[in-house]
Amino acid sequence: MASTRPTSVRGLYTPPAEEWVFLPPSVSPPAHAPATPTHLPTPFTPAADIDDAVETVYGPLQTFATQYFVTALGMPFEVGKTLLQIEYRPRRRFAPDDELVEAEKKEWDAEDDELSNPEEAEAYFTDRLASSTTSFVPPPAPAPDASGYLPDPSPTWLLKDDPDVSRGNGVWGMIRRVRATPSEGLPALWKSQIVSTIHSILSNVVQPQIHSLVLVLYPTRGVPLDFPLTALPHPAVPLALQVGSHLLAHFLLSPLELLRTRMIALPSSHPSTPSSAALFRRTIEDEGGFFGLYFHPNLVIPTVLEHTIRPLLTLSIPLVLERQFGLSPDLAPITYSLADLGLNIAALLVVLPIETVRRRLQVQTRPPAGKRIKSVVRLRDRDYVGVVEAMWRIVTEETAVPRKRQMTEKDEGGLMAGVRQLYRGFGMAVSAHVTVFGLGLVSAGLGGRGLDAGWKEI
């Protein structure tokens, strides 16, 4: 039976009886909605605000932790270099006390050898009894130093001065001496690490801010901060501004450098050794306040010299290579890096003597404080007057000849042995530059950005 089907179903559709109609509410909301209770979280807090808060809290902590770790890698070498630079290593004629002790030791050794034979011992005591008796003359009392304090007869905090332990006069030898001394030990190689970390962070923050301020006060025709000096036709003024910003930043942070040097010199396990905060407060109270901390001649002159010459030489090397030697890091990267290595090593010949003298002047106390600080290495009994006098005393009174158990004046070397005392730590600095050059070559071979590839900043 066949059923009939319509040709189209369009005519069969009937709309529903009622449709959905969206009308505005008949009751208007209150003019002032109640505030969300404080104990409940706000559901509309933007995620960006949370990220900013987290960045504000964890950003400085992450920066401090990173800088602390980087400082810890190089702190043993910094401690060894600082102790090496401040140690007083006199010739025999400038060390009468040590010479007297050595002569008495040799005399007692000779008498012990004489008494080892029974016949010679009997003759020795017979001669002693037959000789005329003389009244006992007590030794003279020890003379106080310039500040009125008696010297410690046997300082237990001094580092071991055994040639078999140090095996050299360099930074590695000083590190071995620190490690072999029971009162110091391995942890002493990280003395003043927190102060060094704070100084590094502040120098990285303060110097760009000061440079920006200098550019605002003296505009250089729209030159950005990171614009290379080699791309400028006349780089003299921008170079002077950068050197001035470095000088001003490190001058403001110079008390931290003074504190770091003294914390490294002080014995770590002695009961009288103060903390870094107590030492800083005592220095301000006893040595002329903040004015003396900044503007004493023995502090301000070497600070200005070091932090002017060091950035001037460092920033001028690319200009000399490209404009005087005609070398380009893009066309001849290997030759350019070798020349840069040579000029950086040559710059050490100028910077290291100033750095050595500055650190020796930093460990000297200044009036009205008269008491000398305790140091794990021997310091000069009389204070240096200034930079020139300190250089002259180091050259004429000290020697850089490797130490032996028995040395004569002929073994101490001539004038050049004293000149070498101004360059303590030179070998370690050269090794650091050569290491940076080698790491740059490896980075370039592995597809790095360049021959330095960031290693020079580290």
Side-chain angles (χ1 to χ4, degrees):
M1 179 177 179
S3 63
T4 62
R5 298 179 58 184
T7 58
S8 175
V9 295
R10 292 181 180 273
L12 302 179
Y13 172 74
T14 57
E18 59 182 19
E19 298 180 355
W20 291 99
V21 179
F22 296 93
L23 298 175
S26 59
V27 179
S28 60
H32 300 284
T36 305
T38 57
H39 66 278
L40 296 178
T42 53
F44 300 106
T45 302
D49 294 344
I50 299 178
D51 295 339
D52 293 341
V54 172
E55 183 66 23
T56 303
V57 174
Y58 290 100
L61 294 178
Q62 184 178 5
T63 302
F64 182 84
T66 303
Q67 188 63 47
Y68 187 85
F69 175 73
V70 173
T71 306
L73 295 179
M75 204 61 204
F77 304 101
E78 182 68 21
V79 170
K81 180 183 177 182
T82 301
L83 295 177
L84 192 67
Q85 288 177 329
I86 66 176
E87 184 180 21
Y88 182 64
R89 181 68 62 178
R91 301 173 186 266
R92 289 176 61 88
R93 64 177 181 271
F94 294 105
D97 296 336
D98 295 343
E99 187 176 356
L100 180 61
V101 171
E102 187 69 22
E104 291 180 353
K105 182 179 179 181
K106 290 181 180 179
E107 182 179 353
W108 281 104
D109 292 341
E111 290 188 1
D112 290 341
D113 294 339
E114 185 178 358
L115 295 177
S116 59
N117 190 347
E119 298 179 357
E120 294 179 354
E122 184 178 357
Y124 172 81
F125 286 109
T126 302
D127 295 339
R128 290 285 180 174
L129 293 174
S131 61
S132 59
T133 59
T134 58
S135 59
F136 174 73
V137 179
D145 55 10
S147 58
Y149 292 89
L150 294 176
D152 198 318
S154 57
T156 57
W157 59 81
L158 290 177
L159 298 181
K160 286 187 176 181
D161 193 11
D162 190 354
D164 295 336
V165 174
S166 61
R167 293 179 289 176
N169 287 350
V171 176
W172 280 111
M174 182 60 69
I175 291 176
R176 295 189 189 97
R177 290 173 60 186
V178 174
R179 187 182 59 185
T181 303
S183 59
E184 294 294 312
L186 194 62
L189 295 176
W190 283 271
K191 290 191 294 186
S192 184
Q193 183 177 340
I194 295 180
V195 177
S196 300
T197 304
I198 296 174
H199 177 268
S200 299
I201 294 175
L202 291 180
S203 62
N204 294 332
V205 173
V206 173
Q207 192 274 329
Q209 298 296 328
I210 294 179
H211 189 49
S212 302
L213 180 62
V214 170
L215 290 181
V216 171
L217 298 177
Y218 189 89
T220 55
R221 298 178 183 179
V223 177
L225 293 177
D226 55 350
F227 200 78
L229 296 175
T230 55
L232 298 176
H234 303 287
V237 174
L239 175 63
L241 294 180
Q242 289 198 20
V243 173
S245 64
H246 279 85
L247 172 61
L248 184 56
H250 286 88
F251 176 75
L252 294 176
L253 299 177
S254 58
L256 291 179
E257 299 177 357
L258 171 69
L259 182 63
R260 176 179 59 188
T261 302
R262 292 192 177 185
M263 288 298 297
I264 292 175
L266 288 171
S268 58
S269 60
H270 198 271
S272 63
T273 301
S275 62
S276 56
L279 178 61
F280 187 69
R281 184 175 60 254
R282 183 184 304 175
T283 304
I284 295 175
E285 294 175 354
D286 298 342
E287 301 184 22
F290 279 100
F291 185 84
L293 203 61
Y294 279 104
F295 295 102
H296 192 277
N298 286 349
L299 295 178
V300 64
I301 294 177
T303 299
V304 172
L305 288 177
E306 180 181 356
H307 293 299
T308 301
I309 297 176
R310 187 189 295 273
L312 178 62
L313 295 177
T314 304
L315 296 173
S316 300
I317 288 177
L319 294 173
V320 173
L321 292 178
E322 295 194 19
R323 303 199 176 187
Q324 299 297 327
F325 296 159
L327 298 176
S328 174
D330 299 326
L331 301 178
I334 302 296
T335 307
Y336 183 90
S337 297
L338 285 173
D340 180 75
L341 174 64
L343 290 181
N344 277 286
I345 293 176
L348 294 175
L349 301 177
V350 183
V351 175
L352 274 182
I354 300 175
E355 182 182 337
T356 300
V357 171
R358 186 188 178 207
R359 291 189 174 180
R360 293 208 179 191
L361 294 176
Q362 284 176 339
V363 296
Q364 292 183 179
T365 55
R366 295 168 300 281
K371 189 175 182 180
R372 301 172 62 89
I373 67 171
K374 294 181 175 64
S375 174
V376 295
V377 293
R378 293 192 179 275
L379 306 178
R380 192 171 183 263
D381 294 335
R382 300 181 61 182
D383 292 341
Y384 299 106
V385 178
V387 176
V388 179
E389 194 261 353
M391 287 187 178
W392 172 253
R393 295 296 181 185
I394 292 174
V395 172
T396 56
E397 295 183 5
E398 301 185 32
T399 178
V401 176
R403 299 186 300 277
K404 301 178 183 178
R405 292 188 177 277
Q406 294 182 357
M407 293 183 62
T408 61
E409 292 187 4
K410 294 182 179 180
D411 298 333
E412 294 177 346
L415 183 64
M416 291 305 299
V419 173
R420 288 170 54 191
Q421 288 295 88
L422 294 173
Y423 295 96
R424 295 180 179 180
F426 180 78
M428 182 61 67
V430 172
S431 301
H433 283 289
V434 174
T435 303
V436 169
F437 175 75
L439 292 174
L441 290 179
V442 174
S443 300
L446 295 177
R449 294 183 288 106
L451 284 181
D452 57 355
W455 292 107
K456 187 173 295 186
E457 288 79 7
I458 296 179

